[in-house]
């Protein structure tokens, strides 16, 4: 069968690999808007991940994408078109619908991406949510934030990567936040285009951040796994890592799963694999956001380590069969796995000569390690949830892999002299 993938990040290229491994024909549609995520396309060619690459300008432009996919479909009939990126998910879903292919309901996808409309929908369904206002100006924001009560969260009405998502404790911070909105961000063009100029102010929800991956197809909605998210102790909008399965009690996991399934049903996310972010408040689970795309960042790697199942196999099977993959219904973790960003708390230059074999004590436990710094390397402050350095570890229990990751962070800080972002570890004892 023939499946087209539209744009990707490096981890998402494993979706192409999953399709190739299953013997399918693969086209990669690469747009200038997101090619920066991949650097260049040589990895796709070198790894033989696609039978062809179609280059376009803007995958967020539905008409341009549709023209490219229609032409492709004429020459090489398509059985599915999908993206792992949230930022072009809407145009991809619309094109899939126009081509008569499987995809998420475009209206539901747009609803999920408008974080205010999404909250309104789930509240109307009787699901727990929080107070929020959409604001365009600082003046209005000051009034609305006072109404909600500090602290509040400010974030773009639609966005991603925690870009411009910030906890705001008082009026001064709110003024500084609005002042920062005018600044140019060094981001790929498509990502800049996807970030709404409107600001959403939300009541700040206290509690640990967790997420549930949810699959939906053929009228069935199935929770796949619950994860715990590590967040920065002093800037909670910055995410530092993920542990699967979440080290929480079975009662808490059940409540999270049930809530996530209800959110997916309420928003109408009818087809696909979705990433539902939830904070466990003192009253129970509260939605942070319903991401209408498969888990991102290093989460698919953690999912594979924890379950021995490739999430992209599930995605490819679902899109090509239009049915719920059998494996989705019974996911049993075989071990625990954690991914952790090695993010600097301040921009700095590595002054210390790093001892050889400094990581020998924990090397055996690593399933992945990306931290290529040495004396003289300049390291930028981690300011959003993206960071070039990270590692993955596995453990017999979720507590073990999650806390092992924190110990490794401590060792790394000591060995390099870099002050690293610390995790609040607020998921513990739930
Ligand atoms: N109402 C809230 N209360 C407390 N924390 C929040 C709230 N909304 C967002 N956050 C924190 O800010 C982070 C970023 O917010 P959100 O997920 O909505 O933005 P995003 O940019 O789409 O994120 P990403 O794409 O990285 O998942 C969340 O992961 C969470 O830690
Ligand atoms: Mg989020």
């Amino acid at each position: 069968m023939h499946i087209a993938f539209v744009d990707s990040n490096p981890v998402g290229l494993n979706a192409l690999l999953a399709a190739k491994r299953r013997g399918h024909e693969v086209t990669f549609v690469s747009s200038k808007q997101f090619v920066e995520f991949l650097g260049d396309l040589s990895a796709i060619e070198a790894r033989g991940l696609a039978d062809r690459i179609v280059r376009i300008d803007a995958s967020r432009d539905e008409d341009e994408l549709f023209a490219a996919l229609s032409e492709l479909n004429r020459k090489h009939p398509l059985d599915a078109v999908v993206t792992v990126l949230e930022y072009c998910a809407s145009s991809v879903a619309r094109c899939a619908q126009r081509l008569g292919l499987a995809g998420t309901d475009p209206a539901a996808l747009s609803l999920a991406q408008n974080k205010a409309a999404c909250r309104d929908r789930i509240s109307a369904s009787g699901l727990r949510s929080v107070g929020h206002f959409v604001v365009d100006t600082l003046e209005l924001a000051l009034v609305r934030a006072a109404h909600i009560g500090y602290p509040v969260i400010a974030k773009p009405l639609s966005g991603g990567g925690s870009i411009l998502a910030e906890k705001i404790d008082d009026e001064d911070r709110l003024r500084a936040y609005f002042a920062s909105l005018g600044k140019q961000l060094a981001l790929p063009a498509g990502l800049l285009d996807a970030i709404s100029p409107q600001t959403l102010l939300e009541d700040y929800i206290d509690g640990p951040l967790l997420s549930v991956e949810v699959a939906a197809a053929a009228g069935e909605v199935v929770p796949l796994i619950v994860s715990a998210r590590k967040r920065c102790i002093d800037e909670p909008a910055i995410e530092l890592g993920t542990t699967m399965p979440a080290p929480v009690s079975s009662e808490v996991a059940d409540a999270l799963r049930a809530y996530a399934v209800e959110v997916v049903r309420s928003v109408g996310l009818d087809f696909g694999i979705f990433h539902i972010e939830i904070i466990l408040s003192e009253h129970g689970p509260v939605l942070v956001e319903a991401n209408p795309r498969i888990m991102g960042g290093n989460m698919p790697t953690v999912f594979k380590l924890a379950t021995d199942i490739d999430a992209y196999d599930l995605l490819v099977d679902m899109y090509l069969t239009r049915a719920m993959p059998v494996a989705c219904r019974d996911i049993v973790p075989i071990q625990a796995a954690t991914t952790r960003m090695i993010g600097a708390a301040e921009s700095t230059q590595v002054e210390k000569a790093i001892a050889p074999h400094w990581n020998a004590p924990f090397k055996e436990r690593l399933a992945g390690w990306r931290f290529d710094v040495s004396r003289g390397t300049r390291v930028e402050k981690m300011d959003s949830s993206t960071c070039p350095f990270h590692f993955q570890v596995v453990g017999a229990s979720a507590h073990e892999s999650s806390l092992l990751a924190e110990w490794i962070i401590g060792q790394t800080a000591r060995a390099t002299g870099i002050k690293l972002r610390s995790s609040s570890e607020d998921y513990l004892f739930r």
Side-chain angles (χ1 to χ4, degrees):
M1 296 179 97
H2 179 201
I3 182 164
F5 293 93
V6 181
D7 284 321
S8 183
N9 48 26
V11 176
L13 291 183
N14 289 319
L16 282 68
L17 182 64
K20 287 304 298 175
R21 242 190 351 242
R22 285 167 129 62
H24 300 303
E25 182 183 350
V26 172
T27 299
F28 186 63
V29 180
S30 168
S31 86
K32 287 184 187 156
Q33 284 187 309
F34 298 107
V35 72
E36 243 178 87
F37 280 143
L38 298 174
D40 58 51
L41 304 180
S42 56
I44 296 178
E45 280 154 359
R47 291 170 64 194
L49 296 179
D51 296 276
R52 68 191 66 78
I53 297 177
V54 173
R55 289 175 171 79
I56 62 171
D57 282 334
S59 56
R60 284 175 52 78
D61 181 334
E62 180 188 332
D63 290 336
E64 191 194 343
L65 182 62
F66 185 70
L69 291 173
S70 301
E71 199 194 324
L72 177 68
N73 193 36
R74 270 192 298 277
K75 291 190 203 144
H76 310 275
L78 275 165
D79 296 293
V81 55
V82 61
T83 183
V84 300
L85 286 189
E86 167 134 16
Y87 314 114
C88 55
S90 182
S91 50
V92 170
R94 282 176 216 282
C95 288
Q97 192 179 56
R98 285 167 71 179
L99 290 164
L101 301 173
T104 313
D105 172 20
L109 207 149
S110 300
L111 182 65
Q113 289 184 328
N114 179 321
K115 294 179 184 185
C118 183
R119 284 211 180 283
D120 292 339
R121 170 61 64 87
I122 66 160
S123 297
S125 304
L127 292 170
R128 195 178 295 107
S129 186
V130 284
H132 60 279
F133 289 103
V134 180
V135 294
D136 287 305
T137 61
L138 170 64
E139 290 64 37
L140 187 58
L142 288 166
V143 174
R144 297 303 194 213
H147 183 92
I148 296 172
Y150 292 95
V152 297
I153 279 274
K155 56 185 171 186
L157 181 58
S158 300
S162 297
I163 294 153
L164 298 174
E166 213 174 296
K167 182 183 180 200
I168 308 277
D169 288 313
D170 53 37
E171 281 199 4
D172 284 350
R173 275 306 312 155
L174 192 56
R175 288 179 204 281
Y177 178 84
F178 268 78
S180 76
L181 294 182
K183 289 203 191 107
Q184 201 65 38
L185 298 168
L187 295 170
L191 183 43
L192 283 178
D193 188 52
I195 294 174
S196 159
Q198 285 181 296
T199 297
L200 178 66
L201 295 181
E202 290 184 355
D203 199 354
Y204 183 80
I205 313 157
D206 258 318
L209 179 68
L210 298 115
S211 51
V212 186
E213 312 316 309
V214 179
E220 199 180 343
V221 180
V222 181
L224 304 180
I225 197 161
V226 181
S227 332
R229 316 297 296 276
K230 291 173 178 286
R231 290 188 297 168
C232 195
I233 202 160
D234 34 28
E235 293 186 34
I238 297 180
E239 289 168 31
L240 294 173
T242 301
T243 297
M244 286 187 201
V248 294
S249 68
S250 57
E251 291 76 23
V252 165
D254 285 346
L256 291 162
R257 278 191 281 262
Y259 180 84
V261 165
E262 288 305 313
V263 166
V264 166
R265 287 197 189 281
S266 164
V267 178
L269 294 169
D270 57 343
F271 185 88
I273 300 180
F274 308 116
H275 172 65
I276 310 301
E277 294 181 324
I278 297 168
I279 287 176
L280 184 64
S281 76
E282 57 174 333
H283 306 293
V286 186
L287 182 70
V288 171
E289 63 161 344
N291 290 286
R293 44 96 184 143
I294 195 163
M295 62 191 114
N298 295 307
M299 290 185 73
T301 309
V302 182
F303 184 77
K304 174 80 170 75
L305 289 168
T307 64
D308 203 26
I309 294 172
D310 186 331
Y312 298 120
D313 280 342
L314 304 177
L315 190 73
V316 167
D317 286 354
M318 179 185 280
Y319 268 77
L320 289 174
T321 63
R322 303 183 182 219
M324 179 68 76
V326 175
C328 287
R329 297 199 186 100
D330 190 22
I331 290 181
V332 183
I334 52 160
Q335 61 182 352
T338 297
T339 181
R340 177 69 157 89
M341 300 287 193
I342 310 174
E346 291 152 9
S347 295
T348 184
Q349 187 153 347
V350 180
E351 306 283 354
K352 260 177 108 159
I354 302 171
H357 313 301
W358 68 274
N359 60 0
F362 56 84
K363 223 173 156 191
E364 292 277 283
R365 306 295 296 273
L366 294 171
W369 179 255
R370 169 122 198 254
F371 184 62
D372 30 16
V373 309
S374 51
R375 189 180 200 162
T377 307
R378 174 113 204 116
V379 180
E380 297 306 327
K381 177 178 177 181
M382 182 184 181
D383 252 341
S384 68
S385 297
T386 52
C387 168
F389 306 126
H390 52 83
F391 63 87
Q392 290 76 41
V393 278
V394 294
S397 75
H399 281 95
E400 184 188 321
S401 72
S402 199
L403 292 174
L404 177 61
E406 297 319 305
W407 178 74
I408 291 174
I409 285 292
Q411 295 296 306
T412 309
R414 220 174 54 175
T416 60
I418 307 173
K419 188 167 183 290
L420 294 175
R421 291 286 199 188
S422 319
S423 165
S424 58
E425 294 303 283
D426 57 357
Y427 62 87
L428 285 170
F429 311 115
R430 308 280 168 166

